[in-house]
Amino acid sequence: MAGPLARLKVVELEGRGPGPFCAMMLADLGADVVRIARPRPPLAAATGTEKMIHGRREIDPVGRGRRTVTLDLRRSGDLATALRLTDAADVLLEGFRPGAAERLGLGPEVCLERNPRLVYARITGWGQDGPLAHVPGHDINYVALSGALDPLRRNGDPPAPPLNLLGDYGGGGMLAVAGILGAVVERSFSGLGQVVDAAMIDGVALLTTVVHGMRAEGLWSDEPGSNVLDLGAPFYNVYETADGRYVTVGCGEPRFYAELLRRLGLGEDMLHRQSDPGGWAADRAALASVFAGRTLADWCELLEGTDTCFAPVLTPAEAPAHPHNAARGTFTEVDGVTQPAAAPRFSRTPGCAEAPAVAAEAAGILREWERSEA
């Protein structure tokens, strides 16, 4: 497989959430990722019910681009095979609770003693230490405790988390990718691997850096819906259209706001109030009234592609067909399933979203990896 990480060998211990997403990104960029999966119950394997998870058919785009070997790490022979894979790997990725990998005999102390160049990446919610380290949790909990969920409150309603994109994938999976690549770069100088502790609580907190900066400057209020970035500002907001759809405007710069107001037929007095939060409520209402007068298609025809910082709110089904996304190849199709393409883009060594995880024999992978190590 091509890509900037084409020589990187990664062992992924099967898990959920940010771990598989991190492994997917590495595989998209060319890494040879081998997932160690737990054995399926015999009945499930016999009847095909392994295709059902929580009552739905298993379609796993996040599992794309890697081979899968099935090992029961509680059996000494399978554990020895896993350790041999780790010996030949550049990266081991695990997302268990703290201490679980150690109890299996596959913890960082054991693995790094056998392979000092190994980057041992650990993804958890609360981190490897701290009072909550061993407490169960999910995306919504980490987003809440990091201070990122409270600003998502609107109009007296409870906070609305952005699916599990913020904790699992942004604060977890992408943070782990950055940590792994940082450790791999450092290893090129030191010759040594290390443990990467990627905690979702840390990653989500990191994503709120701009909010802490604005609060320190007195530019952020803890009252939800009163700030530029949380739908307080009329020029950075979401508006409903005549057909019940939504559009967004993000024209924070005066020249872009002026162009929007001109195209909407609104007066320049609104432009003069752009930096005055006291007038924002009235101006939001004025813009809402105008946008409610036409359909989504009408607004796209008038504003899309202009200097108004405009975009329609598309559904996941609509987004792949949008002309811009189609022209860039932002989405692709793998095994009949439309899904986001590999990103970011590289000029010489492009990544690629390839087929979902396929079953493989550990012995064959070991021969291949050990030969390349030799």
Side-chain angles (χ1 to χ4, degrees), residues 145-235:
L145 200 66
S146 69
L149 186 58
D150 185 72
L152 301 179
R153 287 185 289 130
R154 298 290 183 274
N155 301 322
D157 292 331
L163 309 181
N164 65 334
L165 305 179
L166 193 53
D168 278 352
Y169 300 127
M174 285 194 175
L175 182 75
V177 170
I180 289 168
L181 298 184
V184 169
V185 170
E186 193 281 334
R187 185 184 66 183
S188 69
F189 300 105
S190 69
L192 296 173
Q194 58 184 304
V195 177
V196 178
D197 176 1
M200 285 179 263
I201 184 75
D202 298 343
V204 178
L206 191 63
L207 294 173
T208 67
T209 302
V210 65
V211 174
H212 288 275
M214 294 177 72
R215 288 187 81 253
E217 291 185 74
L219 300 177
W220 185 273
S221 167
D222 288 335
E223 179 185 348
S226 64
N227 302 286
V228 171
L229 298 178
D230 65 358
L231 304 189
F235 49 84

Side-chain angles (χ1 to χ4, degrees), residues 88-314:
D90 297 292
V91 178
L92 184 142
L93 175 64
E94 65 99 345
F96 302 151
R97 285 200 212 178
E102 284 85 347
R103 289 190 293 273
L104 287 169
L106 205 61
E109 187 173 337
V110 170
C111 293
L112 284 166
E113 183 176 357
R114 295 169 61 107
N115 179 5
R117 290 178 52 82
L118 182 70
V119 173
Y120 194 112
R122 321 192 78 172
I123 306 179
T124 58
W126 305 114
Q128 296 298 315
D129 53 32
L132 298 178
H134 290 84
V135 176
H138 283 292
D139 175 290
I140 195 170
N141 308 126
Y142 316 132
V143 175
L145 200 66
S146 69
L149 186 58
D150 185 72
L152 301 179
R153 287 185 289 130
R154 298 290 183 274
N155 301 322
D157 292 331
L163 309 181
N164 65 334
L165 305 179
L166 193 53
D168 278 352
Y169 300 127
M174 285 194 175
L175 182 75
V177 170
I180 289 168
L181 298 184
V184 169
V185 170
E186 193 281 334
R187 185 184 66 183
S188 69
F189 300 105
S190 69
L192 296 173
Q194 58 184 304
V195 177
V196 178
D197 176 1
M200 285 179 263
I201 184 75
D202 298 343
V204 178
L206 191 63
L207 294 173
T208 67
T209 302
V210 65
V211 174
H212 288 275
M214 294 177 72
R215 288 187 81 253
E217 291 185 74
L219 300 177
W220 185 273
S221 167
D222 288 335
E223 179 185 348
S226 64
N227 302 286
V228 171
L229 298 178
D230 65 358
L231 304 189
F235 49 84
Y236 197 94
N237 222 300
V238 180
Y239 295 102
E240 188 172 1
T241 62
D243 51 348
R245 299 296 302 273
Y246 292 91
V247 297
T248 64
V249 292
C251 42
E253 298 84 354
R255 66 188 182 96
F256 298 145
Y257 193 30
E259 179 66 11
L260 176 70
L261 296 175
R262 184 186 71 79
R263 287 175 177 270
L264 298 187
L266 295 171
E268 287 191 0
D269 55 326
M270 290 178 62
L271 179 63
H272 300 322
R273 292 196 298 269
Q274 185 173 14
S275 58
D276 177 18
W280 284 357
D283 292 347
R284 284 198 311 269
L287 283 166
S289 177
V290 172
F291 278 114
R294 299 191 189 185
T295 66
L296 178 70
D298 292 336
W299 289 121
C300 287
E301 183 177 356
L302 178 66
L303 298 177
E304 202 162 20
T306 67
D307 288 353
T308 56
C309 303
F310 165 91
V313 176
L314 302 182

